[in-house]
Amino acid sequence: MKRRELLRTAGGGAAAGAAAVTAGSGAAAAAEGGGEGGGGETTKPKFSYLQGVDGGYKDLRGQSEVTVEVGASGNGGNVAFKPAGIWIDPGTTVKWKWTGKGGQHNVKSADGPASLGSEKYKESGVHYEHTFTEDETGVTNYFCAPHKALGMKGAVAVGEDVETITVGGSTAWPTTIEGFAHNVGVPIQKHYVGIVSFLGIAVSLVFTFYVLKYGESPNTGRGGV
């Protein structure tokens, strides 16, 4: 490597080190504020009744009328409610719409403040609806009697006074120092980042000084090998 190229490389390394100090300090500061990994988190009702049940979940608050499919694909056939779990406001009307698949289905409450109960239907269409009142706040669990054993269950959370859990969060490979530290459980301190970055700059400068003072390596520039 020629001296000019060597100096250019060393200078670039020093500049990168300086940038790392700035970025690292910012990363450490961010880590103190909670770090990476909270992005994409969702708070939803704790539907213990729906453990292992297909159909998914939707936050439908803010809507006066919502629809749940009956006989949707899931649980090994067309034996699912979709969404299986919903979160609504008091006063919201839920309409259960049969898909016409999976045989006869019905809606029957298992427990909770609301009393749900429909006849069994096979034909497609909306065959049952219920408006959840202020007196029915909380979580009402329900099921399809013919297919309960297959996991055809649902739940309706009404209002804000329900037990919730936080799910989700970023699963991507961390792109920042604080993100990596958060994932592996290692706290990042500002002075640690600064020291490491400073050492990187110092090494680059010492190497540059050595080349300027003593010249190129004896093997540099020799061809024929």
Side-chain angles (χ1 to χ4, degrees):
M1 180 183 290
K2 298 298 182 181
R3 182 182 302 180
R4 182 177 300 173
E5 296 174 353
L6 195 59
L7 293 177
R8 187 183 299 118
T9 301
V21 171
T22 304
S25 298
E32 290 183 351
E36 185 178 275
E41 291 183 342
T42 301
T43 298
K44 72 174 188 178
K46 184 179 180 181
F47 292 128
S48 300
Y49 186 70
L50 301 182
Q51 186 72 30
V53 170
D54 293 340
Y57 156 79
K58 278 191 177 180
D59 184 347
L60 300 175
R61 289 175 295 174
Q63 301 184 40
S64 61
E65 185 177 291
V66 302
T67 300
V68 174
E69 290 186 2
V70 182
S73 178
N75 302 312
N78 289 100
V79 288
F81 293 104
K82 186 176 182 180
I86 59 175
W87 195 358
I88 61 174
D89 299 315
T92 300
T93 297
V94 178
K95 293 187 175 183
W96 281 267
K97 183 177 181 179
W98 273 246
T99 64
K101 301 177 181 179
Q104 288 189 330
H105 306 293
N106 70 342
V107 174
K108 184 176 178 61
S109 56
D111 56 68
S115 179
L116 306 177
S118 77
E119 298 296 326
K120 298 175 184 177
Y121 297 96
K122 183 177 181 181
E123 299 78 13
S124 62
V126 175
H127 298 304
Y128 184 66
E129 64 179 63
H130 182 86
T131 299
F132 288 82
T133 67
E134 290 282 356
D135 294 332
E136 295 172 330
T137 57
V139 176
T140 296
N141 299 313
Y142 65 93
F143 59 90
C144 166
H147 303 108
K148 181 180 179 181
L150 298 177
M152 191 169 178
K153 302 176 181 179
V156 181
V158 182
E160 303 301 319
D161 190 20
V162 295
E163 185 178 2
T164 60
I165 58 174
T166 300
V167 297
S170 176
T171 57
W173 184 259
T175 57
T176 61
I177 294 176
E178 74 275 11
F180 179 78
H182 175 84
N183 286 357
V184 300
V186 178
I188 291 290
Q189 302 294 334
K190 290 182 180 180
H191 59 280
Y192 292 163
V193 177
I195 291 172
V196 172
S197 302
F198 177 78
L199 288 175
I201 297 174
V203 170
S204 297
L205 293 177
V206 169
F207 184 64
T208 302
F209 174 78
Y210 179 86
V211 173
L212 289 174
K213 184 174 179 65
Y214 297 105
E216 299 174 348
S217 168
N219 297 323
T220 301
R222 291 186 179 180
V225 179

